[in-house]
């Protein structure tokens, strides 16, 4: 008989094949709300999932701004796609560096008058395998949460008005789920506050991150009831998930023609540097839900969490 693990693996593999098939179905003309003038920005796109997101968006005919914190590798990555005839432009962008964000903001404003799609993909996880060191917790949360938040804040004023709505997609993780069976915040009151979209606030999310970081500094974090697996990383992704719901609420009353839809997704366990190449999903499949969300025709989903093109619980 198949055990639980095998069944899960089989189910995953079947869904992966379904998605590969779905990806081959072209968008019809009436579904294609975008054109070659539609501008998509992807962060951390020099490799891994980000590179694939940039690749696939460009394959759909958009103008893609491939960004990377390192100019050399970013230019190389963009060149690979340009040589394939794709409309890809490189620009430097380090999401934790305010002056880099400012320079990028000015550049995109001047050259394109803004953007239509922002994909927040840049992220780090220092631990691999069963490690759970918090030595780099500050950097992890700074990048994955505060950096992503800075980008969302900087880009919102530049999102161009359109009938189809501008889109923000963030790559997060199931590890950041509020009610994950094996990996969640122990404090029920805090969890309930973070779960209730009406009580969510930037102060609550930032405060939760800062409390964890304080406990890391004074050595008490292990008894703090934080997620048990990749604690710093899981919390950083939990924060982006919560911020996605908060922003969806805040942005929801924008008038027709000025809509902004913001969602997040988990790519699964992907074979990239981040997992030490141990993931079981190729980056092409890991990129899929981001591209699908970014291009959804008649998008009305907002503030939701997805995996494999399906909504999942936060
Ligand atoms: P990689 O490590 O291959 O890619 C991460 C990318 O983020 C790199 O391009 C990296 O740049 C970039 N980056 C890191 N810090 C910054 C920064 N400050 N500014 C700009 N770019 C930065 O990993 P993945 O492709 O796997 O990860 C992509 C996203 O997917 C991440 O957000 C990750 O958390 C998420 N994710 C990945 C999973 C997986 O199984 N792989 C599972 C769930 C989520 P550089 O090359 O310079 O380091």
């Amino acid at each position: 008989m198949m055990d639980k693990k095998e069944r899960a693996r089989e189910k995953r593999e079947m869904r992966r094949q379904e998605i590969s098939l779905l990806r081959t179905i072209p968008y019809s003309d009436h579904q294609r709300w975008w054109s070659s003038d539609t501008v998509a920005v992807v962060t951390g796109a020099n490799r891994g999932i980000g590179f694939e997101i940039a690749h696939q968006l460009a394959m759909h005919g958009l103008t893609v701004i491939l960004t990377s914190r390192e100019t050399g590798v970013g230019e190389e990555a963009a060149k690979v796609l340009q040589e394939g005839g794709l409309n890809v432009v490189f620009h430097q962008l380090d999401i934790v560096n305010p002056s880099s964000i400012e320079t990028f903001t000015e550049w995109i404003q001047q050259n394109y008058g803004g953007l239509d799609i922002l994909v927040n993909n840049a992220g780090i996880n220092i631990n691999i395998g069963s490690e759970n060191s918090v030595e780099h917790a500050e950097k992890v949360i700074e990048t994955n949460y505060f950096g992503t938040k800075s980008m969302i804040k900087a880009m919102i004023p530049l999102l161009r008005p359109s009938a189809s709505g501008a889109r923000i997609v963030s790559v997060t993780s199931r590890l950041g789920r509020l009610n994950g069976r094996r990996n969640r915040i122990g404090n029920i009151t805090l969890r309930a506050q973070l779960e209730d979209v009406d009580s969510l606030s930037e102060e609550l999310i930032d405060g939760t991150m800062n409390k964890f970081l304080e406990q890391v500094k004074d050595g008490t974090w292990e008894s703090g009831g934080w997620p048990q697996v990749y604690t710093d990383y899981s919390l950083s992704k939990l924060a982006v998930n919560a911020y996605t719901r908060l922003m969806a609420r805040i942005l929801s009353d924008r008038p027709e023609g000025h809509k902004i839809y913001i969602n997040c997704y988990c790519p699964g366990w992907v074979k990239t540097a981040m997992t030490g190449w141990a993931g079981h999903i190729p980056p092409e499949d890991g990129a899929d839900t981001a591209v699908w969300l970014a291009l959804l025709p008649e998008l009305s989903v907002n503030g939701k969490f997805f995996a494999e093109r399906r909504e999942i619980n936060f």
Side-chain angles (χ1 to χ4, degrees):
M1 230 174 74
M2 251 198 283
D3 68 12
K4 249 180 153 177
K5 247 185 164 170
E6 274 177 61
R7 264 206 308 274
R9 196 180 308 131
E10 194 163 89
K11 235 173 111 184
R12 239 178 10 235
E13 184 50 32
M14 270 169 64
R15 183 60 186 159
R16 206 170 71 76
Q17 287 178 12
E18 265 171 54
I19 299 237
S20 299
L21 178 71
L22 287 172
R23 247 208 330 279
T24 64
I25 302 173
Y27 289 86
S28 60
D29 280 349
H30 77 275
Q31 289 178 316
R32 289 168 66 100
W33 57 268
W34 63 93
S35 72
S36 58
D37 294 329
T38 305
V39 174
V41 170
V42 186
T43 66
N46 52 291
R47 60 177 159 107
I49 299 170
F51 176 77
E52 261 311 311
I53 295 172
H55 182 195
Q56 291 176 26
L57 286 172
M59 291 285 282
H60 283 292
L62 288 82
T63 296
V64 174
I65 315 299
L66 182 156
T67 71
S68 157
R69 58 181 163 175
E70 283 206 36
T71 301
V73 289
E75 277 174 349
E76 280 303 313
K79 209 161 95 192
V80 172
L81 299 179
Q82 288 155 1
E83 282 169 356
L86 298 174
N87 195 0
V88 174
V89 178
F90 168 76
H91 199 280
Q92 195 275 342
L93 177 63
D94 182 339
I95 65 162
V96 297
N97 181 337
S99 77
S100 170
I101 295 184
E102 202 181 313
T103 306
F104 178 74
T105 303
E106 280 165 17
W107 175 82
I108 197 144
Q109 175 74 47
Q110 269 166 22
N111 288 273
Y112 298 92
L115 70 160
D116 305 289
I117 296 168
L118 168 66
V119 182
N120 293 303
N121 163 81
I124 55 171
N125 181 19
I126 312 285
N127 290 303
I128 283 189
S130 57
E131 296 167 356
N132 192 25
S133 153
V134 293
E135 198 189 337
H136 302 285
E138 206 160 350
K139 203 172 154 206
V140 170
I141 289 177
E142 167 83 12
T143 305
N144 298 359
Y145 171 55
F146 289 105
T148 298
K149 185 168 79 152
S150 303
M151 273 306 290
I152 292 173
K153 286 194 173 179
M155 292 303 114
I156 281 178
L158 299 187
L159 288 170
R160 302 191 293 198
S162 84
S164 312
R167 289 115 195 266
I168 302 174
V169 180
S170 299
V171 190
T172 69
S173 169
R174 286 184 181 90
L175 285 170
R177 281 173 112 165
L178 276 168
N179 291 306
R181 239 177 306 150
R182 281 169 310 199
N183 201 40
R184 59 181 174 193
I185 293 178
N187 181 332
I188 296 170
T189 315
L190 175 59
R191 220 164 59 211
Q193 281 173 331
L194 287 164
E195 193 164 8
D196 176 9
V197 70
D198 296 318
S199 74
L200 264 183
S201 66
E202 199 172 330
E203 292 71 34
L204 177 70
I205 307 170
D206 289 13
T208 305
M209 295 305 109
N210 291 332
K211 191 167 151 208
F212 167 67
L213 290 175
E214 268 164 37
Q215 293 186 1
V216 167
K217 274 196 194 124
D218 66 24
T220 60
W221 70 276
E222 281 190 77
S223 54
W226 304 107
Q228 299 79 23
V229 180
Y230 294 155
T231 304
D232 51 5
Y233 178 81
S234 297
L235 276 172
S236 72
K237 295 298 188 180
L238 182 149
V240 180
N241 283 349
Y243 190 68
T244 301
R245 299 173 72 212
L246 169 67
M247 288 313 289
R249 188 191 83 205
I250 292 172
L251 295 168
S252 65
D253 59 3
R254 291 170 71 97
E256 221 37 70
H258 294 265
K259 294 280 186 208
I260 299 174
Y261 301 105
I262 178 166
N263 294 287
C264 51
Y265 87 105
C266 175
W269 200 38
V270 185
K271 218 175 189 42
T272 63
M274 184 171 285
T275 56
W277 317 103
H280 49 63
I281 297 174
E284 293 85 336
D285 289 340
D288 176 79
T289 299
V291 176
W292 173 74
L293 278 170
L295 299 183
L296 265 185
E298 290 159 46
L299 185 70
S300 57
V301 285
N302 198 20
K304 298 286 195 288
F305 188 26
F306 292 85
E308 289 99 31
R309 297 195 183 196
R310 289 181 180 144
E311 191 183 334
I312 59 171
N313 291 329
F314 277 101

